[in-house]
Amino acid sequence: MSLIKNNAILLILLLLSGGVATAQSISGTVTDEAEVPLGGVNIIIDGTTNGTVTDFDGNYSITDLEDGTYTLTASYLGFKKMSKTIEINGADQTLNFSMQEDAESLDEVVITGVVNPKSKLESSISVSTMGAKRIENAAPRSAGELFRNIPGIRAESSGGEGNANFNVRGVPVSSGGSRYFQIQEDGLPLNLFGDTSFGNADNFLRIDSNIGRVEAIRGGSASTQTSNGPAGIINMISKTGKTEGGSLATTFGLDYQTSRLDFEYGSPIGNGLTFHMGGFMRTGEGPRDIGYQGNKGGQFKANITKEFNSGYVRVYAKFLNDRSVMYLPMPMLLEGNNDDPTYSNLPGFDITGDATQSAYLQQSAGTNPFDGGGRHVNDVRNGNNPISKALGAEFSFDLGNDWKIAGKARYSNNSGQWVAPFTAAVGTVAEIDATARAAAGAGTEALVYSDGAREAFNPENGLAQIIHMFDVTVDDLSNFFSDTKITKKLGDNIGLTAGLFTATQNTKIGWQWSSFISEVKGDGEARLADFDGFSRNGQYSYGTPVWGNCCQRKYNTVHNVNSPYVGIDAGITEKLNFDGSVRFENVNVNGTIQAGPTSQGSYDYDGDGVIQGIEQVVPIIAGNAGQIVNDSYNFVSYSAGLNYKINDGAAVFTRYSKGASGRAADRNTYGADGLADVQFDELSQLEVGVKKRLNNGSLNLTGFISNTDEGISNELNRTVGNPFKALGIEAETALAFGENFSVNGSLTWTKAEIDGGDNEGNTPRRQADFVYNLSPSYNFGATKQHAVVLSVLGTSKSYAQDDNDLVIPGYAYFNLIGRAGLTKGLSLVLSVNNLFDTVGITEVEGNGDGAFGADRLVRARSISGRSSTLSLQYKF
């Protein structure tokens, strides 16, 4: 009996131990290359029917597995299949997948500018995405260079790293920047207004390896899903560390001086926690010869995420303090007639490699508008110097019973400086002497070099220029944004969303512009000139007398916004889907503006008790209250779209939207009652599109018609604004030819027209009929570790001004990237921007400033010439 009992106990123990041995599991998370979780991914154990599907957060688990070796394959429409092998030996195992996109998949889920997240194929919007790999292949040095790869967008990326102008589908660039177009970082705007003078949103954006994905919509529901972005939204989505990994890269200039270090790392750290951090540090002269180190600083970003069974919470921070050179319109030779001109180099000045900056021009002095006209001195080497300290949080939870809640909030303490030389006039020495002398009130003083022995001013090419120093203090451009929404699913086919967006935007900016006389000379060696005994160190005025001393200004305003919105998403049939949304924008703005000097007269700037020549007429912003701003307004935006899914590989959609964009305070005129002349500008759009999956990729075609009702606004010292209309079509494709060769490309044709005013019927300035890009890439080697990427970006001709008197020629330039994989994770990368040193004119001031022999002079901007870097990159 005892033997039977002992054997029974032994048998039970063996059975129990056997049960423990077969209780192991494999679990993990599936994400895309940007570390965004992928729901609905099939995970199958090879050779069996055993498997599962990932949940909304990309998590999966396969249980009751015996010890052994297993190969798991992850498959998801639009992504490449991926297999991994893992061994179980008495313990649960974790196996994560990071899936690669398959030739611009139509099955990517889009979260930007939509009522509810949906795949591209199921969304009734025109949307483009760029993953980390495609961003890397584009090798952008600025937001402008990155955005040029998106269809429908014309980005003037010739001015350096920031302050670019963006045109979307013919919607005008009336006052610079991006009035109708919103740039976001992790789903919230960088700035409430895209066209604040010297405070453009992209000034506070730097392109680095923290960016995991870019989502861009044109038109569509952008009018109801953000403030001041009816023409579109570009959202820069950060990596979150869902999958462990990181990278290091050090970059050096081959034909110009630059040195940069990029770094990033992210990982799960247990208990549902993940983190990511990274940034860059750099120094250098920049791709043009300016005579000093103009690019210097860096950025650091970090986030940490806590996942729960029903959602997540994420907090993040950003610190940016970076200086970059700004290239404003500079002197050029204008050859030929206005209909077919050529923009060429002047003797001693290369328009693709030189700039107005100089080693001799490093200090600007003026009066400070913030303290009643006290002395202000700025270092020109600061350039575009944004300083941002931001702290944000976001959350998303499934509340059960088909309720969901999500929210985002961020506070950004923004400030900095913006200083760059602008060629206000160019001509012979005698012409510039006479123009500057008359404006400043100089007498018979001789024009001499301001340095050295102060010999007579006699440039080798006989040319001189008046420089207006755009010297701006961004004292406070801080903002707070929050966006919270609740979604309720009604049955299987209808979802309702209600949300509230709030914003507070400070705008405290001071202008203290000044004037210089300089040679027209490159290599950062242009010397300055003085009216002997009148000027100081090349500066002949503490204002801008040639422009009537327009540019001593002070803006100190606060905008408060409350925008409730509602949306519905309904499956009418299995294939036909409707979504519509309405937004109610409520805006209040108050503060003060002092635009232009409040007094002009003698001012003992250096405090020596003597009023010298340059001190006879000094523009000052006095300490009074100035123009009161006390305005409030509201408007309603709406959008409705239908999407018909023909099959799993094709869909058609149509959408109509009407929205508006409010005005930045410095772009408006206010009456004595504090009310704005124009409170907002309206934009309506009709779109019809088709999305088609091809055997080796995808093709998207969208036709559009838009009408912009724009009032008069301020642009520096002039007024602009007209009604506009546009129609066009944009095409985007991504193709893969085998495992090694792929092509991405887009083409946008736009017929834009001024629809009123003196220039009715003309084409809006700087609006090209065609904008295109094409980027073929070839990967080779045993593990595809080597790559060659060639991209071409181009535009057809446009006009310098709304009067259409002077043509800006079309151009195309090429970028080349070569990657050599040295060993696992380690690569050597050659990047060549503007391979053939192409001249590409993006902006022209005026229609020609004067004679130069048989030709004319002009002030314009070209894209920078050829510049090459070499990087050593390590991914782990």
Side-chain angles (χ1 to χ4, degrees), residues 749-764:
W749 172 78
T750 308
K751 178 60 177 176
E753 187 176 304
I754 299 172
D755 203 26
D758 295 339
N759 295 305
E760 184 174 3
N762 286 357
T763 301

Side-chain angles (χ1 to χ4, degrees), residues 338-396:
N338 282 6
D339 294 329
D340 186 24
T342 299
Y343 296 78
S344 303
N345 297 331
L346 288 164
F349 191 87
D350 186 332
I351 62 176
T352 63
D354 290 323
T356 312
Q357 284 85 352
S358 167
Y360 294 90
L361 182 56
Q362 296 191 15
Q363 180 175 291
S364 174
T367 56
N368 190 332
F370 293 121
D371 65 1
R375 284 180 286 182
H376 162 87
V377 178
N378 200 357
D379 190 335
V380 178
R381 294 173 296 180
N382 285 326
N384 180 13
N385 178 207
I387 301 172
S388 181
K389 291 166 279 188
L391 182 65
E394 64 178 84
F395 66 88
S396 177

Side-chain angles (χ1 to χ4, degrees), residues 20 37 92 148 154 221 230 243 316 363 393 414 429 511 632 679 715 728 751 783 802 857:
V20 171
D92 294 341
R148 288 201 64 173
R154 179 179 183 270
S221 52
T243 302
Y316 55 90
Q363 180 175 291
N414 295 332
V429 172
W511 297 14
S632 62
Q679 295 168 321
E715 187 196 40
K751 178 60 177 176
T783 59
D802 288 345
L857 299 170

